[in-house]
Amino acid sequence: MNLTKTVGEYAFGAGSFSTLGDTLSEHRADTGRRVIFFVDKFFEGHALAQRLPVETDDQVIFVDTTSEPTTDGVDAYTDIIRNYKSEAPAVMVGVGGGSVLDTTKAVANLMTNPGKAADYQGWDLVQNPGIFKIGIPTLSGTGAEGSRTCVMMNQEKNLKLGMNSPHTVYDRLILDPELTASVPRDQYFYTGMDTYIHCIESLNGNFRHGVADAFSEQSLALCREVFLSDDMQSDENREKLMIASYLGGSAIGNSFVGVVHPFSAGLSMVFHTHHCIGNCIVMNVMEEFYPTETEEFHRMIDAQGISLPVDMCKDLSTEQHKNLHDATVIHEKPLINALGEDFRDVLTPEKVASIFAQM
Ligand code: NAD
Ligand code: ZN
């Protein structure tokens, strides 16, 4: 039985971003050391960046999220911080969506553990607690703010895997729905649906956990209110989705995903499709595995007037089909959770190709 850790402290509500200065002052006073801010590049020159309580020795690093995090990228950020000053910082703050939140978690672990990011991809490999870290989501849905992992692409090993560890969990969160007001509509939908998809996969799986189920059910109820409403981005709905994302992330430690995430990982390995839009592309064609939820997904996407790329997998070469298949069925844990030990009897190469052909 795994011990589970979730985030212990959080400030919540519109305007709660303003609590950051006081929290940092406490840590600065206790340690006399600096603070590192990882901030999504979108906010460079933006009013939010001006509100960061930055002091003399601090570093503000704007993270380019055009591509999702890689192990090499995380190593490069770690070097930037070490080269600036050898003394470890007191606090690391991540301000952004899943990409920045995960980058911050990974670098905070590497500050206190030797070696490279790739050495810790897996389960419970991180030995020492990382730097105290504060997560401030500006985009809701991945649950990265609540989860015990930080997903990174390892290009050398052709592997997408996180540092699954209790040390990866944020020490504190600031959940301020005002920060998601600037998210573009499509991105808001795609990322928001990540929590919906995670929860329906978990609740339909073979491995269930009472606490994860409770988190997932409440998260789903909030997603339904948001995505079946007239204005998914109203103040009230942005607050609801922020809660849904945190609950979904808190469930992840005790639950498994299902069929959608492995297929989405296939898209990401072959076409570099980003995680959340990839999940939506897959969810759109999941009638066979999740009939009720796929119908509900169609109602949500119609209600919000969001479109998805079409004909992505038309005219693929045999090699591309093989790569898609391999990058999908390699995810045994979620596929066993969804389809049982004999999942390969269901997901034959022909079957996998026919599912991708619908995307
Ligand atoms: P993201 O962080 O990659 O950001 C997507 C886009 O939204 C970027 O262009 C960014 O600049 C923009 N953006 C973010 N906040 C904004 C704001 N307030 N206003 C305007 N634009 C804004 O997107 P994401 O979907 O949140 O994260 C995806 C990443 O999360 C993937 O790398 C995925 O693997 C990871 N993930 C992690 C976990 C976990 O448990 N750690 C779970 C699921 C997914
Ligand atoms: Zn996901």
Side-chain angles (χ1 to χ4, degrees):
M1 182 75 49
N2 279 338
L3 267 184
T4 308
K5 188 174 165 193
T6 47
V7 179
E9 302 175 341
Y10 51 88
F12 168 68
S16 55
F17 180 76
S18 60
T19 63
L20 179 61
D22 287 347
T23 303
L24 294 181
S25 298
E26 284 167 32
H27 284 271
R28 291 184 206 275
D30 287 350
T31 63
R33 287 187 275 123
R34 69 203 158 114
V35 175
I36 312 292
F37 299 87
F38 281 106
V39 184
D40 191 295
K41 212 168 172 34
F42 169 81
F43 294 107
E44 195 167 14
H46 188 282
L48 186 74
Q50 314 300 321
R51 290 173 63 203
L52 290 170
V54 181
E55 294 190 3
T56 317
D57 274 346
D58 295 348
Q59 273 175 290
V60 181
I61 298 173
F62 288 103
V63 179
D64 184 348
T65 51
T66 316
S67 302
E68 294 183 337
T70 62
T71 47
D72 288 344
V74 165
D75 289 333
Y77 287 127
T78 307
D79 288 343
I80 290 174
I81 296 167
R82 287 218 179 98
N83 293 340
Y84 180 72
K85 222 175 180 196
S86 60
E87 188 184 53
V91 183
M92 305 194 84
V93 182
V95 186
S99 294
V100 175
L101 295 173
D102 279 359
T103 300
T104 310
K105 289 161 129 181
V107 176
N109 279 341
L110 286 177
M111 285 283 126
T112 54
N113 289 277
K116 303 243 176 211
D119 301 338
Y120 299 100
Q121 283 185 295
W123 277 263
D124 299 312
L125 301 172
V126 181
Q127 298 297 317
N128 307 313
I131 304 292
F132 187 93
K133 52 192 174 301
I134 302 175
I136 310 181
T138 64
L139 176 56
S140 301
T142 65
E145 66 277 24
S147 75
R148 44 167 270 154
T149 191
C150 50
V151 184
M152 296 165 295
M153 188 86 94
N154 182 328
Q155 276 140 341
E156 208 179 313
K157 292 190 190 159
N158 212 13
L159 173 77
K160 199 177 174 189
L161 189 60
M163 299 179 182
N164 285 274
S165 161
H167 299 313
T168 305
V169 178
Y170 273 104
D171 297 285
R172 184 174 293 192
L173 297 176
I174 295 179
L175 301 174
D176 184 344
E178 284 181 356
L179 306 187
T180 64
S182 51
V183 178
R185 255 185 98 67
D186 284 6
Q187 185 71 56
Y188 181 90
F189 182 87
Y190 301 145
T191 297
M193 285 315 288
D194 194 28
T195 197
Y196 175 90
I197 292 169
H198 180 267
C199 294
I200 65 107
E201 288 181 292
S202 162
L203 288 168
N204 281 291
N206 292 314
F207 307 123
R208 301 282 292 273
H209 185 289
V211 176
D213 284 3
F215 279 135
S216 294
E217 275 160 12
Q218 187 55 37
S219 177
L220 277 184
L222 290 164
C223 287
R224 290 185 174 117
E225 288 176 33
V226 172
F227 292 113
L228 292 171
S229 75
D230 291 341
D231 180 6
M232 64 176 179
Q233 289 177 290
S234 68
D235 291 352
E236 195 189 343
N237 280 335
R238 279 189 285 103
E239 180 170 301
K240 284 181 184 169
L241 193 60
M242 192 161 258
I243 302 168
S245 176
Y246 166 70
L247 294 177
S250 303
I252 293 175
N254 282 318
S255 65
F256 294 94
V257 288
V259 182
V260 182
H261 274 77
F263 274 86
S264 172
L267 293 178
S268 126
M269 291 315 286
V270 176
F271 303 117
H272 304 290
T273 311
H274 285 199
H275 182 86
C276 297
I277 187 172
N279 282 349
C280 289
I281 293 167
V282 177
M283 190 67 214
N284 200 33
V285 301
M286 283 285 111
E287 283 91 350
E288 182 175 344
F289 302 102
Y290 304 111
T292 321
E293 294 82 358
T294 304
E295 183 273 326
E296 185 168 60
F297 174 82
H298 290 156
R299 273 193 287 133
M300 289 173 168
I301 200 165
D302 288 347
Q304 302 309 330
I306 303 293
S307 55
L308 290 172
V310 287
D311 293 340
M312 267 188 89
C313 298
K314 221 179 158 195
D315 306 327
L316 297 186
S317 66
T318 313
E319 192 192 352
Q320 280 176 311
H321 266 302
K322 185 178 178 329
N323 291 344
L324 278 172
H325 170 268
D326 293 353
T328 302
V329 299
I330 197 170
H331 295 276
E332 294 188 348
K333 272 190 200 166
L335 293 172
I336 293 173
N337 179 44
L339 304 171
E341 292 287 343
D342 299 328
F343 72 86
R344 282 194 174 78
D345 294 348
V346 181
L347 294 181
T348 59
E350 297 72 34
K351 181 75 188 176
V352 171
S354 78
I355 294 169
F356 277 117
Q358 298 169 51
M359 298 179 199

